[in-house]
Amino acid sequence: MEGLAAPQPVTALRRVGPAMQERLAKLGIGSVVDLLFHLPSRYQDRTRIVPIGSLRPGDHAVVEGELSAAEVKVGRRRMLLAQLVDGTGTIVLRFFYFTAAQQASLTRGTRLRCFGEVRPGATGLEMVHPEYRRPNGDQPPAVEEHLTPIYPTTEGLQQTTLRQLTDQALDLLTQGELPLLELLPAELLPAGGELPLAEALHFLHRPPPDAPLALLADGRHPAQQRLAFEELLAHHLSLRQLRLASNRQRAPALRPRRALVEALLAALPFSLTAAQQRVWGEIADDLAQFHPMMRLVQGDVGSGKTVVAALAALRAVEAEHQAAVMAPTELLAEQHFRNFSHWLTPLGIEVAWLAGKLKGKARKAALERILSGEVGVVVGTHALFQDDVAFQALGLVIVDEQHRFGVHQRLALREKGARAGRQPHQLIMTATPIPRTLAMTAYADLDLSTIDELPPGRTPVETAVLPDSRRDEVVARVAGACAEGRQAYWVCTVIEESELLEAQAAADTAALLQQMLPQLRVGLVHGRLKADEKEQVMAAFKGGELDLLVATTVIEVGVDVPNATLMIIENAERLGLAQLHQLRGRVGRGAGKSHCLLLYHPPLSAMSRSRLAILRESNDGFEIARRDLELRGPGELLGTRQTGLMQLKIADLRRDQALLPAVNRAAGILVRQAPERIPALVRRWVAGGDRYGTV
Ligand code: ADP
Ligand code: MG
């Protein structure tokens, strides 16, 4: 097994010396087995000769024919142009760089076989700098036996070299020289996917000419699914190991010493919902243990996660430890600071603020009070984890909006907070609802609590979907709401993911709306503003000095202005449902009836129409996530915005979600029945996987 016998280093292969070894190392390839798991990113079909007449722009194809003309043109740029004909059509071969010898060989009447990308040219289709050679006389046409793999590569490493090396590795595989490559018993594989690993690897490195290219390009071929399954399993297991490791670590047991938690509960103007009580109970149990809590609390927008976090912080303080609360933006951190101060200061607890913009004396003073232990709770951004921040006794780290942090940040955070062999407890809060199977795979290092109930007395936000051609009506709605003393948000989005364009669009919209509604006080926030400018505008809006806030999606999380009862979202069809739901959660926070108008730019596709209808029909983030998942998979939940989540090579959490139940099942079985295989599996698939077992 890889884990037992030392894996064969790549230098065991012919033509791999120190220089080549170094280049391969850049691709993460150290052993012969690694090479086998370095899979092609795409394929070319050089297995057959394509009639020129059937070529389409964008094809990569082999063609063969005779040159009907060849000439060097001297215009703005000197080039060699040749025309290849095969009886079905003509294609132009264009060379900007060529030697005299090439020029001499490419003459009228020469027979050539070329491979290249077909592009539209001025006078029909052409290939620029095709690979070409003269087919040798009467021998049968030597096309390739397999689809040609194109590997991800690095400087100085040619495709042909990678092919030669993988050829050698595949030979060793066939000869049984790479024993126990197979780590998974067949009965663990999902039904229909029981392809032996060696077969899957062979297929993917050297697909036969009739391999279904479209299926391969999609990653849905059974050979790819076999590997995707193994990869997801390896990641899942690495996260489970992380959890097991954390059970072996020590943490301060935070148990009630004073009645601070009771005091806050008594002082709150409301009582906890049953869901908040349950989740707080789960957290309190964890905190009382001698090993670190690793718990993720999910709760829809407005479900009251903050107060639960405050209770946890209080528990730390009453057990003579400190708590740190970290938010991803200054805006959010500032809001938490206000809430925590409001709740905790009356109980005699000092709450400190630490964000990037805190400088000089104020920062120094805060740092001193954190170190001396006078400060009980620190709220801030990433600035909390800078080197010069030292705690007297950090017992708990609370991270809000976890979806912006991946497993590596979670680890870093823990290492940072560790002191004298003890780790702080970790509480992670997210408003992004993640369906259970997905959460079990992607967050297997965390325990999961769900606040699945909203505080009573909320009136659900009423949502309407309108074409942007009805903008005048919408503007009139804004005027009406503001005339009643209410406030409104107008959210601008653009097609490209560009902060600059988005800011520009928001500025234009703000100017336009101010023109149309001169009686209103219009504010503007976007990501290009400095943090303090942003906060000034937000504070003015919160203080009622602005009626209408035009914003980009920067207002997405956590902003709490109960008097705002109307939200307009432009180009709603371009945003994910989870994001729209989060945005919408900015209204409906007070007693007043709230409305959300989703504007779209016609025509609206059937898919977009059904998706927006989901938002109109439901105010429940989990229900919305579930239905969106049915429609289009978890990409939006776990997609680009969650890049830190898992570094997957082959699997795709969106595409391969159907594999997840089998992954979870297989993980359980492996842990019980073949734990000795786990390290090799993790090492094979997870970058830096060795680390996971030891932290
Ligand atoms: P989120 O889960 O989105 O972070 P918050 O913690 O900001 O939600 O809570 C939203 C609002 O609901 C806040 O104003 C908070 O004070 C209030 N709230 C929290 N819990 C309750 C409750 N049990 N009953 C009534 N209001 C509550
Ligand atoms: Mg919140």
Side-chain angles (χ1 to χ4, degrees):
M1 177 172 304
E2 279 166 83
L4 306 176
Q8 289 197 41
V10 275
T11 44
L13 301 176
R14 284 187 310 277
R15 307 187 44 174
V16 182
M20 180 68 69
Q21 185 180 21
E22 212 167 284
R23 272 174 231 147
L24 289 167
K26 280 195 196 144
L27 297 173
I29 301 171
S31 69
V32 175
V33 170
D34 291 342
L35 193 59
L36 286 176
F37 284 91
H38 187 70
L39 292 167
S41 50
R42 58 194 174 85
Y43 302 95
Q44 291 172 346
D45 187 354
R46 296 173 186 238
T47 61
R48 60 208 172 87
I49 295 169
V50 177
I52 292 175
S54 70
L55 292 175
R56 292 275 154 75
D59 288 350
H60 286 81
V62 181
V63 293
E64 187 170 317
E66 236 177 63
L67 292 183
S68 63
E71 56 169 344
V72 172
K73 265 181 86 162
V74 246
R76 216 150 27 102
R77 228 177 136 180
R78 190 166 165 270
M79 63 180 97
L80 172 61
L81 287 177
Q83 263 191 345
L84 190 73
V85 296
D86 70 351
T88 68
T90 306
I91 188 164
V92 173
L93 313 178
R94 190 186 293 273
F95 299 86
F96 295 107
Y97 308 98
F98 51 93
T99 59
Q102 266 179 308
Q103 185 186 342
S105 70
L106 294 179
T107 51
R108 198 182 139 90
T110 310
R111 211 167 163 73
L112 283 189
R113 180 173 308 162
C114 304
F115 178 84
E117 184 184 350
V118 180
R119 306 192 198 175
T123 58
L125 295 179
E126 59 181 53
M127 283 183 182
V128 178
H129 287 263
E131 297 168 34
Y132 69 88
R133 63 189 170 86
R134 296 175 193 228
N136 31 353
D138 12 81
Q139 271 149 22
V143 283
E144 312 254 326
E145 281 170 57
H146 304 285
L147 296 182
T148 308
I150 308 294
Y151 292 98
T153 188
T154 181
E155 209 176 319
L157 194 54
Q158 307 290 330
Q159 289 295 333
T160 45
T161 310
L162 278 167
R163 269 173 232 153
Q164 279 166 2
L165 297 180
T166 43
D167 271 337
Q168 293 182 56
L170 288 167
D171 282 346
L172 290 174
L173 182 63
T174 314
Q175 293 153 19
E177 294 290 315
L178 302 172
L180 288 173
L181 185 81
E182 185 75 76
L183 294 169
L184 302 184
E187 66 269 20
L188 286 193
L189 300 173
E194 306 91 342
L195 200 59
L197 182 63
E199 234 172 81
L201 289 172
H202 252 295
F203 184 94
L204 293 174
H205 283 285
R206 301 289 180 268
D210 59 351
L213 269 176
L215 206 61
L216 282 169
D218 252 8
R220 293 179 199 273
H221 189 276
Q224 290 162 314
Q225 290 285 294
R226 165 66 181 79
L227 293 173
F229 176 82
E230 192 175 308
E231 181 175 37
L232 287 170
L233 180 60
H235 276 268
H236 177 72
L237 285 165
S238 78
L239 291 173
R240 279 201 186 201
Q241 280 187 310
L242 207 57
R243 168 140 76 180
L244 289 178
S246 93
N247 286 346
R248 289 193 298 270
Q249 269 154 359
R250 294 196 324 130
L254 305 175
R255 296 177 179 171
R257 294 243 196 125
R258 294 152 61 193
L260 288 177
V261 166
E262 282 72 22
L264 175 58
L265 288 173
L268 287 174
F270 50 76
S271 47
L272 296 186
T273 62
Q276 283 171 314
Q277 276 174 31
R278 173 172 41 79
V279 170
W280 162 237
E282 290 164 359
I283 295 169
D285 283 350
D286 282 0
L287 292 177
Q289 307 300 315
F290 285 99
H291 57 81
M293 168 173 78
M294 289 290 283
R295 185 168 286 278
L296 175 68
V297 173
Q298 311 190 53
D300 206 350
V301 243
S303 62
K305 295 183 287 295
T306 320
V307 72
V308 172
L311 293 172
L314 269 181
R315 172 57 44 83
V317 173
E318 68 181 6
E320 263 127 47
H321 279 78
Q322 293 164 298
V325 183
M326 185 164 96
T329 64
E330 298 230 343
L331 202 69
L332 258 180
E334 163 91 41
Q335 194 164 288
H336 280 320
F337 177 64
R338 261 189 270 114
N339 278 326
F340 275 74
S341 301
H342 175 72
W343 287 325
L344 306 193
T345 317
L347 302 174
I349 295 163
E350 186 172 334
V351 181
W353 164 251
L354 206 62
K357 73 170 205 270
L358 191 70
K359 300 253 157 66
K361 271 208 191 111
R363 179 178 162 86
K364 200 157 163 261
L367 291 180
E368 273 166 17
R369 298 178 71 78
I370 293 169
L371 182 59
S372 72
E374 280 157 289
V375 162
V377 178
V378 191
V379 183
T381 55
H382 286 86
L384 277 178
F385 290 90
Q386 274 158 18
D387 283 338
D388 59 347
V389 183
F391 292 82
Q392 158 78 228
L394 183 62
L396 170 67
V397 175
I398 299 171
V399 185
D400 195 9
E401 289 309 332
Q402 178 274 343
H403 66 275
R404 304 192 190 210
F405 304 101
V407 63
H408 299 292
Q409 283 105 322
R410 293 208 289 275
L411 281 177
L413 212 69
R414 257 169 53 169
E415 279 159 19
K416 176 85 201 177
R419 271 193 99 190
R422 297 215 275 179
Q423 309 263 353
H425 296 278
Q426 242 187 84
L427 179 65
I428 293 158
M429 303 193 291
T430 178
T432 310
I434 299 156
R436 190 137 199 116
T437 35
L438 205 56
M440 279 170 63
T441 312
Y443 297 122
D445 59 328
L446 304 175
D447 292 304
L448 189 63
S449 290
T450 306
I451 306 184
D452 49 7
E453 177 185 1
L454 291 185
R458 295 276 166 84
T459 40
V461 179
E462 198 164 291
T463 301
V465 180
L466 300 170
D468 56 13
S469 52
R470 287 168 66 184
R471 185 179 295 260
D472 286 350
E473 252 172 80
V474 173
V475 172
R477 288 277 291 273
V478 173
C482 296
E484 287 171 16
R486 299 300 187 180
Q487 290 162 285
Y489 295 101
W490 189 295
V491 182
C492 301
T493 63
V494 292
I495 309 165
E496 291 94 327
E497 269 196 31
S498 148
E499 211 179 51
L500 180 64
L501 290 179
E502 201 169 61
Q504 189 57 50
D508 294 347
T509 306
L512 191 71
L513 287 170
Q514 182 68 84
Q515 227 171 47
M516 296 169 84
L517 301 166
Q519 74 279 22
L520 298 188
R521 296 160 300 171
V522 180
L524 171 66
V525 271
H526 55 68
R528 305 283 286 190
L529 291 184
K530 293 211 186 76
D532 52 339
E533 294 171 325
K534 235 185 291 188
E535 261 150 49
Q536 267 173 20
V537 180
M538 292 310 302
F541 188 64
K542 196 166 166 91
E545 295 150 39
L546 295 171
D547 304 297
L548 174 63
L549 184 65
V550 178
T552 59
T553 50
V554 296
I555 59 151
E556 189 182 340
V557 276
V559 177
D560 193 16
V561 183
N563 190 47
T565 56
L566 177 62
M567 170 170 284
I568 322 294
I569 305 176
E570 289 197 87
N571 298 316
E573 76 278 16
R574 299 193 193 289
L575 296 189
L577 290 194
Q579 199 181 3
L580 286 170
H581 178 66
Q582 293 260 327
L583 283 167
R584 181 173 63 173
R586 301 310 107 214
V587 293
R589 309 206 127 220
K593 174 93 194 146
S594 291
H595 297 269
C596 176
L597 307 181
L598 303 176
L599 299 190
Y600 64 86
H601 190 67
L604 195 59
S605 71
M607 169 68 100
S608 299
R609 190 173 298 278
S610 340
R611 293 179 65 241
L612 293 180
I614 293 175
L615 279 176
R616 208 178 52 222
E617 287 158 18
S618 178
N619 265 284
D620 174 347
F622 285 90
E623 167 74 7
I624 290 168
R626 194 183 58 70
R627 293 181 57 183
D628 197 26
L629 198 65
E630 279 169 15
L631 278 180
R632 30 172 270 151
E636 180 180 308
L637 296 177
L638 299 175
T640 50
R641 297 182 61 217
Q642 308 207 4
T643 44
L645 200 58
M646 277 188 184
Q647 304 285 325
L648 297 171
K649 286 185 259 199
I650 294 176
D652 174 332
L653 281 169
R654 177 207 294 243
R655 185 190 60 211
D656 303 328
Q657 54 173 316
L659 297 173
L660 297 181
V663 166
N664 288 332
R665 206 192 94 218
I669 297 175
L670 266 188
V671 166
R672 279 193 307 277
Q673 296 178 3
E676 72 285 356
R677 296 186 176 210
I678 295 175
L681 196 59
V682 169
R683 214 171 316 120
R684 177 181 290 174
W685 290 102
V686 183
D690 293 338
R691 200 164 150 243
Y692 288 67
T694 55
V695 285

